[in-house]
Amino acid sequence: VIPDDADSPSLVVLITGLSGGVGRVELPAVARAVAVSPAGDWFVGGLVDGSLALVAPGMSRPVANLVLGSSVLALGVTGESRGVLAAVEGAGGPELVEVRVDPKGKTGLREHRRTPMPVRPLAIGMVGSDAMVVTAEGLLILNRLGPKRRFEVAIPGASGVAVLPGRARSAVPAWSE
């Protein structure tokens, strides 16, 4: 949950299960988007100051930060669940930035590649190696995060996208009991 509190930038994490609970994660700036790994072993906050914050469950502060240099507009977990795809408002226009996530490694977050966008993304998701990008005009599906469009459909007023896993897993994250 992203609270609307500019004086205390944070995320509120709800833990379900037998014990349940609520935790607050302090952030260096206000969050605009959150992406959670399918296994529940990490999540990333996209911040308005142009950075990403990697958080491990049970922690009250990020374990790693990465400066992207532009305000984060949207986040999604990559198709292979090894990272996140961030939509940012770049200096030369909107971009998609693929970031590798290693919650137990030295770097934590590492920028992999950038793809310029012709229009401003509002929401993003990944299906395999294809990016699903929602814009004010509709939905773009980009082949392998490249500039080549695989599919485009007009959906005026679109604002979000949800991606279901190809192989649904029923697993309880280790930190939730």
Side-chain angles (χ1 to χ4, degrees):
V1 178
I2 303 172
D4 186 16
D5 185 0
D7 295 331
S8 178
S10 61
L11 294 175
V12 176
V13 181
L14 306 174
I15 301 172
T16 61
L18 297 176
S19 64
V22 177
R24 191 174 202 89
V25 178
E26 295 178 30
L27 299 174
V30 174
R32 179 174 281 157
V34 178
V36 181
S37 75
D41 55 346
W42 55 262
F43 57 95
V44 173
L47 311 182
V48 296
D49 71 351
S51 66
L52 298 178
L54 172 64
V55 180
M59 303 299 287
S60 62
R61 296 190 185 280
V63 295
N65 292 301
L66 176 66
V67 175
L68 298 177
S70 300
S71 184
V72 177
L73 304 171
L75 278 177
V77 177
T78 58
E80 72 282 350
S81 303
R82 292 187 191 150
V84 293
L85 183 63
V88 300
E89 191 66 65
E95 297 176 306
L96 295 180
V97 183
E98 188 177 359
V99 176
R100 299 286 185 203
V101 175
D102 182 9
K104 297 176 184 170
K106 291 179 187 174
T107 57
L109 296 167
R110 180 177 51 86
E111 186 175 320
H112 181 62
R113 66 178 159 179
R114 288 182 180 246
T115 303
M117 289 294 301
V119 293
R120 188 176 195 260
L122 301 175
I124 53 179
M126 292 285 297
V127 177
S129 62
D130 294 339
M132 299 177 65
V133 182
V134 175
T135 69
E137 292 80 33
L139 175 70
L140 300 173
I141 298 180
L142 303 177
N143 190 0
R144 298 183 120 2
L145 285 179
K148 185 175 180 181
R149 295 177 186 188
R150 176 176 279 196
F151 181 76
E152 184 173 355
V153 61
I155 309 172
S159 63
V161 63
V163 178
L164 299 175
R167 292 181 309 155
R169 291 185 274 173
S170 177
V172 178
W175 48 268
S176 71
E177 293 187 29

